[in-house]
Amino acid sequence: MRYHSHVIVSLCIGAAAAAYTALPFTASYTAGVVIGSLLPDIDEPKSYVGRRSFGMANKVKEAFGHRGMTHSLVVWGVIAAIVLFESSSSFSFGFVLGYLFHILEDFLSVQGVPLLWPLQTKRYKLPLYRTGNFVEKLLFYSSFALLVYIGNEHQLFYEWMKSLSFDR
Ligand SMILES: [Zn+2]
């Protein structure tokens, strides 16, 4: 999945999560979701974050391969525990969720993800789309529409704008 799809699909799920739970849809929450949804591809030098990783992506890819360790639920669990232990800000919650959504989104691709690495190297998938194909575009546009709908229906955009002045 391309980075913009990861961002929009994750924001859409993140908005739904905020609409139906006590999670606040603030600027820092959405910033967390966006960054979390991009970070797992740090293992691919050609990805959006990979190209901005000062060569780190090459090292991670060399060591573990693309869609390797950074796409594991085990690794996510460890990162989530550390991040939430350090801070329970809305940014942290957004980050932890965005990272999880990224793994879920790649799980729906034909390439799949090693969900249980390092316990298992098996790749799990529920193949819905291939990177950049028609189905991914469909996911992108329908998530965008759904995001606007949920945001409007639950006054999330209003909450978001308000957070710009109070959420520091
Ligand atoms: Zn990925």
Side-chain angles (χ1 to χ4, degrees):
M1 191 172 258
R2 305 250 156 88
Y3 79 93
H4 54 262
S5 307
H6 276 303
V7 168
I8 294 299
V9 178
S10 300
L11 276 176
C12 174
I13 315 175
Y20 296 104
T21 67
L23 280 169
F25 196 76
T26 57
S28 55
Y29 170 75
T30 52
V33 170
V34 170
I35 294 172
S37 79
L38 291 173
L39 199 65
D41 282 343
I42 190 97
D43 64 356
E44 174 48 65
K46 290 197 280 292
S47 75
Y48 183 80
V49 275
R51 279 182 277 124
R52 291 160 178 78
S53 69
F54 307 103
M56 224 175 93
N58 287 307
K59 299 210 168 59
V60 183
K61 191 181 186 183
E62 235 171 69
F64 305 104
H66 179 43
R67 291 195 180 176
M69 64 172 289
T70 58
H71 290 65
S72 152
L73 285 180
V74 179
V75 173
W76 169 78
V78 173
I79 293 176
I82 296 171
V83 168
L84 295 178
F85 181 75
E86 286 299 324
S87 133
S88 52
S89 64
S90 55
F91 177 86
S92 306
F93 282 110
F95 176 83
V96 163
L97 286 177
Y99 197 116
L100 180 65
F101 299 156
H102 180 113
I103 297 177
L104 174 77
E105 288 145 19
D106 279 355
F107 169 72
L108 300 177
S109 75
V110 293
Q111 291 93 334
V113 276
L115 288 181
L116 297 178
W117 187 94
L119 311 172
Q120 254 185 28
T121 50
K122 180 177 158 38
R123 285 178 173 269
Y124 291 85
K125 60 184 167 185
L126 194 115
L128 263 188
Y129 70 91
R130 189 177 289 281
T131 302
N133 81 352
F134 165 73
V135 184
E136 181 181 331
K137 292 196 177 97
L138 197 69
L139 282 171
F140 173 81
Y141 289 113
S142 44
S143 298
F144 187 76
L146 197 60
L147 171 63
V148 172
Y149 174 78
I150 297 172
N152 193 44
E153 197 73 352
H154 296 268
Q155 278 93 45
L156 295 181
F157 300 132
Y158 175 69
E159 189 182 346
W160 191 86
M161 303 254 252
K162 225 173 58 181
S163 78
L164 287 177
S165 37
F166 301 113
D167 184 55
R168 299 218 181 264

